Amino acid sequence: DIQMTQSPSSLSASVGDRVTITCQASQDISIYLNWYQQKPGKAPKLLIYDASNLQTGVPSRFSGSGSGTDFTFSISSLQPEDIATYYCQQYDNLPLRLTFGGGTKVEIK
Amino acid sequence: QLQLQESGPGLVKPSETLSLTCTVSGGSISSNPYHWGWIRQPPGKGLQWIGNIYYSGTTYYNPSLRSRVTISLETSKKQFYLNLTSVTAADTAVYYCAKILRGLIPDHWGRGTLVTVSS
């Protein structure tokens, strides 16, 4: 099974700061990685798919990069409404399987 | 606009079967290349994929739950279903239904429903 290691588990940053979250796969997963935002009491929302593609309607301050085993998610300028937990999610096609990272809780300093 | 709504009992007794329904509105349940799936989240914890179903009826399950899970689909009702047998307290979670692009990318989620396993 592919394991996903997401870090940090939490972070605190100031409004306007650049925030970076990493996700590492235990083996090569090409670009098969998505990123989600989950606000308290709400369902997750897809932000980035296939490592670097911005979902329709998502602000451009969110971005993703990487391939193989190492992936990065960034918020270029943290806004108060970005307070949430962010998850990476890896997918396999053969056999079909979806695996989520442990999450990163982002707070305002 | 596409909406998904979970429904079902909020309390299930240990060893019994958890049964949930997801109703799809504002779109087709037979759209290619979409699957329909279930994902759960224990209180205060992370997300776990349970399984998917394609409109043809083909199913895919998380190996850790496969022996206890059945996902089915009723296209005429625009509903799909989750059955999880022999539940324990570890199955207490918010259960989300989702539309899953290519079976791999959950891009549209229901609001979720909390199911508590307790006697």
Side-chain angles (χ1 to χ4, degrees):
Chain A
D1 289 9
I2 298 175
Q3 305 301 317
M4 303 304 297
T5 303
Q6 188 174 339
S7 62
S9 57
S10 65
L11 66 88
S12 182
S14 301
V15 173
D17 282 355
R18 182 177 186 84
V19 167
T20 298
I21 299 167
T22 63
C23 204
Q24 186 170 58
S26 59
Q27 62 190 68
D28 190 331
I29 60 169
S30 185
I31 60 165
Y32 301 153
L33 189 100
N34 308 318
W35 291 96
Y36 296 84
Q37 175 193 67
Q38 186 178 32
K39 296 184 178 181
K42 300 294 186 181
K45 174 186 175 183
L46 177 67
L47 300 181
I48 304 286
Y49 64 95
D50 293 345
S52 62
N53 294 296
L54 194 66
Q55 175 71 341
T56 302
V58 174
S60 59
R61 65 179 180 274
F62 296 101
S63 65
S65 64
S67 65
T69 60
D70 295 305
F71 299 85
T72 300
F73 170 83
S74 296
I75 307 173
S76 61
S77 177
L78 186 67
Q79 300 301 304
E81 61 266 32
D82 300 335
I83 300 313
T85 299
Y86 293 84
Y87 292 93
C88 62
Q89 175 243 320
Q90 172 268 338
Y91 57 86
D92 271 324
N93 204 9
L94 293 170
L96 194 151
R97 187 175 301 184
L98 284 60
T99 306
F100 290 88
T104 297
K105 187 174 184 179
V106 174
E107 298 175 319
I108 296 286
K109 193 180 294 183
Chain B
Q1 183 172 353
L2 185 77
Q3 291 190 338
L4 295 90
Q5 179 66 59
E6 305 88 351
S7 59
L11 181 64
V12 180
K13 289 182 168 55
S15 79
E16 295 190 346
T17 296
L18 180 160
S19 296
L20 294 175
T21 298
C22 184
T23 301
V24 178
S25 59
S28 172
I29 203 169
S30 303
S31 301
N32 184 33
Y34 285 100
H35 293 208
W36 305 92
W38 293 93
I39 296 160
R40 70 180 184 178
Q41 184 172 37
K45 296 188 178 180
L47 298 158
Q48 183 184 35
W49 171 68
I50 299 171
N52 290 0
I53 187 165
Y54 191 47
Y55 77 90
S56 64
T58 303
T59 52
Y60 307 85
Y61 298 132
N62 187 320
S64 68
L65 298 170
R66 179 175 288 128
S67 63
R68 299 193 292 131
V69 172
T70 303
I71 296 175
S72 58
L73 183 71
E74 178 108 36
T75 53
S76 61
K77 292 184 177 180
K78 297 179 72 174
Q79 292 180 332
F80 60 103
Y81 312 97
L82 171 68
N83 273 2
L84 181 66
T85 62
S86 305
V87 297
T88 69
D91 295 309
T92 293
V94 175
Y95 285 76
Y96 295 99
C97 61
K99 178 167 75 70
I100 306 183
L101 174 64
R102 306 190 327 243
L104 305 168
I105 304 172
D107 65 351
H108 210 103
W109 300 58
R111 292 186 175 183
T113 187
L114 174 63
V115 179
T116 300
V117 178
S118 175
S119 56

